[in-house]
Amino acid sequence: MGAEMVVARDVRKSFGGRRPFGGKGRRKGACGSVEVLRGVTLSVGAGEMVAIVGPSGSGKSTLLHCLSGLEDVDAGFVEVAGERVSGASRSGLSRIRRRHVGFVFQSYNLVPSLSVAENVSLPARLAGRPLARKEALSALARVGLAGREGSRPEELSGGEQQRVAIARTLALGADAVFADEPTGALDSGNARAVLDMLREIADDPRRSVILVTHDLEAAARADRVLVLKDGRVVRELGRSSASEILEAMEAAR
Amino acid sequence: MIRLALCDLRDHATTWIGAFMVAAVCGFVGGWGVSLAETARTYPNMQSFAVTVIAFSAIAAVPVAAQTASLAVTAQRRSYALWQLANASPCQVRAVVLGQIAAVALLGSLCGTLAEAAAFEPLFPWVFSSPFYQPIDQVALEVGLPTMPAVWLAVAVVFLIGGLRGACSAAKTPPVAALREPEEARRGMTWARAALCAILAFSTWQVAASLSGGDLDSLSGSLFVPLLATATLAAAAPVALPALLGAWTALVSRGRWNAWFLARRAARFGLAASTSVETPVVVGFGVVAGVFSLSNLLGAFVASRSAVGYSTSLDWTSSVLLLGGPVLLAVVGAAASMAMSSRARVRDVALLVACGASFRTVLASSVCEALIHAVTATLAGMLCAVASNAAVAFALGLPPLEGLSFVQGATVSLAGLVLVLAAELAPTISVLRKGAVPALAARE
């Protein structure tokens, strides 16, 4: 494992706190709120792929959103590529996302008004270093979508849209790629292709991938697996087979 | 199905409230025309006012109401696809969509006419406060409540015609395609729309040509030229406005500024919303600038004939009577259309935030998009004013640009821009405050 790319210490997050009587604002962790993350600590090194698994409602996606700066944490410390995410201002968070973070969502989340090539070059463009068209096309070629640069997202299949999302992170050169159920909506062939691409990104010693998944085969491609339950990391496994991960999850229940 | 339709009305309240607001303004403007017509039964010299007000309001209301209804259905594509997945037959979907449109149009126009009935008595002396119409306080006002159902019916029919194509499309489109594609595929004009466009263009030319004798007594008919010219462009709006938008925005470099790049792409992508936002401003600008330009043109013509006793200037009362309805419809229609498409806007802003767009870029993109709509509509309205002015000037033997004035039309554009901007910024700021995650999660 290389230098630490993503660090989280004692991360806590609640949703739905009621406004206290006579008080201003929303009190986190107050009566009626649900504490989704209860002190998560982890670190992911450069050149590493870490999978986070756990039952529904265990806080996997919330953890990913907190690590990537899409969601504020209530307490704790988060750092990505040496830049502090927790406590950063809104503009600071968007700067960190532009510089260091790439996302792959289950529902692809491509911008529908932009062409495939424009979607690929969008984060780099927003980061103030517009890609040459050649670079965008090269990223698309790497994910097997050469010739589809002019298409609109809705003209592509789910697997192709997911590959565009991966090409976007490749083109940006994101230090940390956060993938939330990236294979959840894909058939087995496309899922395998997407996992191969994520693995390829993680094999770059300057980059890391954090993958949230229900798919044990996908988790088995990771270097480490964290089992999350009720907002806490309850088990940590090294490179494991799908059956070993399943056993660990069942033991954690 | 009734429960489904009611739940949909509740869940997509923003969309239907927008349609309701436009129907209410149509009802108010229509009710005003009816009240004037009813009052004019006792005062025959007011009858020409009533006819002109009804004609101006109707020609302005039809494109605005029809586009709003069409947008309301387009914005609901996803819901209608989900209904089909729940085994609703295409006939049921079509019937429910049309039922929703009719209900919203009837309810909106009912509220609009009721508001007008309450406001007619105080509004009448205010509108007729120009010295030429004094004394006005002896006029016995007649609101004409028994005639108001005609307004409700007319508004409902226009809404139904506007939403009919969308309703049929919602019923025919395979649900999976509707769920997959966020925007309906771009289509050209139907034959019916093309025929309407041709008829309106021909009528514009005929009315302008009828002035060629230069008979001073027949000049009042020229007022309908800008109205018909604007209606012609409004009928061609689904084809003409996207082409105009694409053409002028291409002149501005898109490589330099991210906000402009994103705004242009968004404006060109959401064609139904873009057309629906721009059409009311086109109507407002075209009618106002066209009528004021015509007033200047006729003034120049009367002066060239050294005629005495012919007034061509627009006083307060004439301005409000002729232009009040179109202007009200323009600004409310544009803002309502923008608000109705806010759901898609929320999703797009969340996607940009997730990609690392700064708050400044996202806000600037919203401002640029509002500006793109306002400028496109203004350019189209200017075309209408220039065309109608040139047609009348040609008939009267004057230079084509004689009397042309865009100042009054620009106030409509400005009001439209302010309201569109407010409607555009509200969902944008909401996403920026709440963060992208809820909006992205809502999509899944």
Side-chain angles (χ1 to χ4, degrees):
Chain A
M1 185 174 98
E4 288 183 328
M5 183 64 75
V6 179
V7 179
R9 275 188 231 121
D10 197 24
V11 171
R12 292 172 185 276
K13 177 74 183 172
S14 302
F15 288 111
R18 264 208 320 253
R19 190 187 291 264
F21 180 74
K24 289 178 183 174
R26 181 171 283 207
R27 190 174 63 185
K28 299 293 182 184
C31 172
S33 73
V34 177
E35 198 172 11
V36 181
L37 299 178
R38 304 176 181 197
V40 174
T41 297
L42 60 85
S43 78
V44 179
E48 193 180 25
M49 180 168 173
V50 171
I52 300 170
V53 297
S56 296
S58 58
K60 303 184 295 293
S61 292
T62 303
L63 175 60
L64 201 74
H65 295 152
C66 288
L67 295 178
S68 59
L70 270 183
E71 195 98 71
D72 294 331
V73 298
D74 295 343
F77 172 87
V78 178
E79 189 183 84
V80 173
E83 294 211 48
R84 186 166 175 164
V85 171
S86 50
S89 65
R90 292 274 169 101
S91 58
L93 285 176
S94 48
R95 184 178 48 80
I96 292 168
R97 283 201 295 273
R98 282 198 303 271
R99 283 189 184 170
H100 305 295
V101 173
F103 287 103
V104 181
F105 295 97
Q106 180 179 1
S107 57
Y108 327 124
N109 283 344
L110 302 177
V111 182
S113 56
L114 302 182
S115 70
V116 163
E118 286 166 343
N119 262 291
V120 169
S121 52
L122 179 65
R125 186 186 182 106
L126 292 171
R129 41 175 204 271
L131 291 181
R133 185 171 169 77
K134 205 168 62 179
E135 290 175 86
L137 297 185
S138 149
L140 282 170
R142 280 177 69 188
V143 298
L145 287 176
R148 301 301 300 271
E149 63 274 7
S151 305
R152 296 268 168 203
E154 78 258 16
E155 293 165 6
L156 305 182
S157 69
E160 288 172 327
Q161 288 192 52
Q162 198 60 296
R163 281 190 264 165
V164 174
I166 292 175
R168 191 159 67 176
T169 67
L170 287 173
L172 178 69
D175 298 315
V177 175
F178 295 89
D180 190 358
E181 299 281 7
T183 58
L186 304 180
D187 62 75
S188 57
N190 272 309
R192 208 165 30 247
V194 163
L195 288 171
D196 286 343
M197 289 169 209
L198 290 174
R199 187 64 254 180
E200 195 183 318
I201 293 172
D203 288 340
D204 182 336
R206 293 162 301 169
R207 309 170 77 181
S208 52
V209 174
I210 299 181
L211 169 72
V212 159
T213 184
H214 275 113
D215 177 358
L216 299 183
E217 294 296 335
R221 305 286 297 271
D223 299 310
R224 272 191 300 144
V225 180
L226 306 178
V227 182
L228 207 66
K229 190 190 171 202
D230 297 333
R232 291 191 184 92
V233 178
V234 291
R235 284 289 298 273
E236 182 171 343
L237 306 171
R239 201 175 262 263
S240 311
S241 66
S243 57
E244 287 167 333
I245 297 168
L246 181 63
E247 266 176 41
M249 285 176 70
E250 284 181 349
R253 273 188 193 155
Chain B
M1 282 309 284
I2 290 172
R3 185 179 289 182
L4 199 60
L6 291 175
C7 288
D8 181 73
L9 287 173
R10 184 196 61 204
D11 293 345
H12 301 104
T14 314
T15 303
W16 291 115
I17 287 172
F20 172 86
M21 290 301 293
V22 173
V25 173
C26 289
F28 188 91
V29 171
W32 174 254
V34 165
S35 297
L36 277 183
E38 289 296 319
T39 303
R41 281 178 192 265
T42 324
Y43 305 96
N45 56 342
M46 280 182 68
Q47 273 170 0
S48 62
F49 277 133
V51 170
T52 312
V53 166
I54 291 173
F56 266 65
S57 302
I59 293 183
V62 167
V64 175
Q67 286 291 354
T68 305
S70 171
L71 178 63
V73 179
T74 307
Q76 306 283 85
R77 282 182 89 221
R78 195 177 162 81
S79 292
Y80 301 146
L82 292 175
W83 293 4
Q84 286 195 58
L85 286 180
N87 285 339
S89 71
C91 281
Q92 281 175 314
V93 172
R94 187 169 51 235
V96 172
V97 173
L98 292 175
Q100 283 180 319
I101 293 173
V104 169
L106 284 172
L107 197 63
S109 55
L110 169 69
C111 293
T113 48
L114 287 178
E116 189 278 333
F120 185 59
E121 208 165 311
L123 271 183
F124 188 84
W126 181 67
V127 169
F128 283 89
S129 59
S130 295
F132 182 75
Y133 303 95
Q134 300 307 317
I136 200 74
D137 47 350
Q138 285 97 359
V139 174
L141 300 179
E142 182 59 55
V143 172
L145 280 178
T147 322
M148 292 300 181
V151 176
W152 310 338
L153 193 67
V155 174
V157 166
V158 172
F159 265 72
L160 284 173
I161 290 171
L164 184 63
R165 194 182 182 197
C168 293
S169 165
K172 272 191 266 174
T173 309
V176 176
L179 290 173
R180 225 167 89 80
E181 294 161 14
E183 175 79 358
E184 209 170 351
R186 175 186 263 192
R187 288 177 301 188
M189 282 202 285
T190 57
W191 283 107
R193 188 182 277 272
L196 175 68
C197 204
I199 290 168
L200 286 167
F202 181 71
S203 306
T204 311
W205 181 249
Q206 282 298 100
V207 175
S210 70
L211 305 169
S212 59
D215 177 12
L216 289 168
D217 291 325
S218 65
L219 288 183
S220 60
S222 62
L223 273 177
F224 287 94
V225 176
L227 201 59
L228 288 167
T230 306
T232 306
L233 190 65
V239 172
L241 294 180
L244 185 62
L245 187 153
W248 84 262
T249 53
L251 299 175
V252 183
S253 167
R254 66 196 173 99
R256 294 274 170 84
W257 201 24
N258 290 333
W260 178 260
F261 165 77
L262 294 168
R264 180 172 186 259
R265 282 286 186 266
R268 291 195 70 184
F269 179 71
L271 285 180
S274 294
T275 307
S276 191
V277 170
E278 290 156 12
T279 302
V281 183
V282 172
V283 170
F285 186 101
V287 172
V288 171
V291 167
F292 273 96
S293 299
L294 192 68
S295 167
N296 296 340
L297 179 71
L298 295 183
F301 179 69
V302 168
S304 73
R305 291 286 186 95
S306 306
V308 181
Y310 288 92
S311 170
T312 60
S313 63
L314 287 170
D315 57 18
W316 159 255
T317 302
S318 313
S319 304
V320 175
L321 285 176
L322 294 178
L323 307 173
V327 168
L328 196 61
L329 281 162
V331 290
V332 173
S337 298
M338 198 45 129
M340 287 163 74
S341 53
S342 63
R343 183 179 283 238
R345 178 83 206 153
V346 163
R347 196 180 60 226
D348 291 351
V349 169
L351 292 174
L352 293 178
V353 170
C355 283
S358 67
F359 283 21
R360 194 190 304 171
T361 302
V362 174
L363 285 173
S365 160
S366 294
V367 173
C368 286
E369 200 179 330
L371 206 62
I372 285 174
H373 291 312
V375 172
T376 303
T378 303
L379 289 174
M382 284 165 88
L383 279 178
C384 297
V386 168
S388 64
N389 205 69
V392 175
F394 179 75
L396 297 178
L398 293 172
L401 301 181
E402 178 77 39
L404 203 58
S405 167
F406 297 133
V407 178
Q408 294 83 357
T411 55
V412 178
S413 294
L414 199 63
L417 172 64
V418 169
L419 286 174
V420 168
L421 193 57
E424 173 107 22
L425 283 177
T428 304
I429 290 171
S430 159
V431 175
L432 294 179
R433 283 186 63 221
K434 291 179 187 165
V437 173
L440 292 176
R443 194 189 182 195
E444 287 177 11

